Amino acid sequence: MALSRAEAIRRVAVALDSSERAEVLRLARALLGRVGVAKVGLEAFSANGPALVAEVGELGMPVFLDLKLHDIPNTVERAARNAARLGVAMFTVHASGGEAMMRAAVAGAAIAARPPTVLAVTVLTSLDDAALVGLGIPGGAAGRVTAWAALAQRCGCTGVVCSPQEVAGLRSALGPNVLLVTPGVRPSGASAGDQRRVATPREAIAAGADLLVVGRPITAAPDPVAAAESIVAEMCHT
Ligand code: C5P
């Protein structure tokens, strides 16, 4: 499956993981038009709050608010409403928060005229099977991801966050409409860091991922723009 350059760009979300407002905005400005989505996660949000989300949005990129909500349904619904009011394109909840919580997130998102896409995080890509056993969850990541992703879909979530290694299985289990978002993307030769279930951009696209979340391989590169371009080029040659 060959992607056009424009389509490949649309399918990269850069994780703007920094505590410094100026650094987040510098990276977002530099990567405007080179990636499709700006992801603001816990680090940037906990230091800079909703104001930074609005500022990133004003630059003209869709914003992915990745706070991985996990709380009682009432609290998650109210937080989801706040995310929707901020005008973000998508936000995350933990599937492990359960059915009522995911339904509450979807209901909260619906208050916006254009509701944000609700993405359910299945099993964090930093967890491997041994870590799951340590949590008292036997059976391996793949089975858990499939079960939680199916539940998320029944709850009205538009998509799920999973590792590139689970994309092909989820695509065949859940069909063409579910949005599959994959962190844990590492260009060949790049350091995995704390990620455990990783794949290259080419492998993630070939498996059927819709959106690749890439952080440090872009943001910690000596030249983030060149790093983003080489990832996009790799995605075009699947
Ligand atoms: O730097 P790196 O490419 O590992 O960044 C991955 C990003 O994706 C981080 O912002 C992380 O919070 C996020 N993420 C993840 N695993 C998930 C969901 C989100 O790594 N399951």
Side-chain angles (χ1 to χ4, degrees):
M1 178 205 359
L3 288 185
S4 69
R5 183 168 175 274
E7 180 61 15
I9 287 172
R10 238 178 31 81
R11 295 218 209 169
V12 178
V14 64
L16 299 169
D17 292 330
S18 167
S19 304
E20 304 302 325
R21 170 182 169 274
E23 174 66 359
V24 168
L25 292 173
R26 184 188 73 77
L27 281 165
R29 282 195 196 97
L31 294 163
L32 195 61
R34 323 262 181 173
V35 298
V37 177
K39 188 172 88 71
V40 176
L42 273 179
E43 183 182 356
F45 189 85
S46 57
N48 301 283
L52 180 61
V53 177
E55 278 186 289
V56 172
E58 280 158 17
L59 296 176
M61 260 197 281
V63 177
F64 172 175
L65 183 61
D66 186 20
L67 301 182
K68 300 187 181 68
L69 305 176
H70 190 172
D71 208 317
I72 60 170
N74 182 61
T75 302
V76 166
E77 179 164 353
R78 291 175 183 206
R81 275 188 222 155
N82 290 340
R85 285 194 193 101
L86 266 175
V88 302
M90 54 189 91
F91 69 86
T92 44
V93 298
H94 269 291
S96 57
E99 180 169 346
M101 194 209 77
M102 284 192 276
R103 289 192 188 280
V106 172
I111 63 138
R114 291 180 54 206
T117 294
V118 180
L119 299 170
V121 177
T122 54
V123 176
L124 290 172
T125 43
S126 53
L127 298 176
D128 56 18
D129 290 356
L132 287 175
V133 169
L135 283 166
I137 304 175
R144 182 60 43 196
V145 168
T146 308
W148 283 351
L151 178 64
Q153 199 179 33
R154 289 199 295 280
C155 292
C157 296
T158 308
V160 300
V161 182
C162 60
S163 99
Q165 297 172 10
E166 287 116 28
V167 165
L170 285 186
R171 182 62 74 207
S172 63
L174 304 180
N177 293 332
V178 65
L179 193 77
L180 298 178
V181 178
T182 59
V185 174
R186 290 291 180 268
S188 348
S191 153
D194 54 356
Q195 297 284 13
R196 289 294 169 265
R197 305 194 326 279
V198 299
T200 66
R202 187 192 314 245
E203 290 165 344
I205 289 294
D210 295 298
L211 184 67
L212 275 47
V213 173
V214 190
R216 288 160 291 183
I218 294 177
T219 56
D223 182 347
V225 170
E229 290 195 335
S230 106
I231 286 169
V232 164
E234 184 176 336
M235 292 163 69
C236 293
H237 293 105
T238 306

